[in-house]
Amino acid sequence: YVMPGVIGLTLQLLTVMLMAISVTRERERGTLDQLMASPVSRAELILGKVLPYFGISLVNVATILFVADRWFSVPVGRNLPLLVTLCGLFVLSSLATGLLISVVSRSQFQAVQIAVFYVLPVFLLSGAFGHLEAIPEYIRPISYLFPLMYFSRSVRAVTLRGADVAQISTDVAALTGFVLVLLFFAVVSFQKRAA
């Protein structure tokens, strides 16, 4: 039961931290200003920042799913394409979150602080380690603000119950919505900050 949550926690920790630090590091070194002065558009610049980390994260996904399957006997192979799609959506939402954090941060140190301040409550409130019902009722609505909650719930449904797309359509729609909204705000905020 815990392993699907650990998959989400691992992916989120890596992607949010790496993305938050990468852009602020560029800003501190002054290379971001040089990139802004180049003929590369801001959208291409953001894409160039996100795609490498997305590729690295997919390698992490493959490694984590292999370990979960071989060592922890989590039945990953039941619906592997759906599981990889869920992981891809979750990674994109985490990268967009990291990009948003990097835009509002003035230094790498501040980016790390904000990322930790975001990630720690998510660990506790997303239901990654336990049932959402264990969270007090007055706090539980906050859980629905985090992509990790939808990811953990849908991955558990796919791996442990063999759920198909129709059965987890709400979670897939929520993750897709998070990706679109977070990427939109990350791009808009980045363009405003760079202007």
Side-chain angles (χ1 to χ4, degrees), residues 5 83 107 167:
L83 202 54
S107 66
Q167 293 169 317

Side-chain angles (χ1 to χ4, degrees), residues 17-30 32 98 101-112:
M17 289 290 188
L18 287 174
M19 195 67 199
I21 291 171
S22 72
V23 176
T24 51
R25 183 174 52 234
E26 294 275 355
R27 190 180 299 122
E28 285 180 353
R29 291 179 179 171
L32 190 62
I101 290 171
S102 70
V103 169
V104 300
S105 304
R106 296 178 186 204
S107 66
Q108 291 182 66
F109 179 71
Q110 189 180 24
V112 170

Side-chain angles (χ1 to χ4, degrees), residues 135-142:
I135 299 170
E137 282 187 35
Y138 62 92
I139 298 176
R140 202 176 305 157
I142 299 171

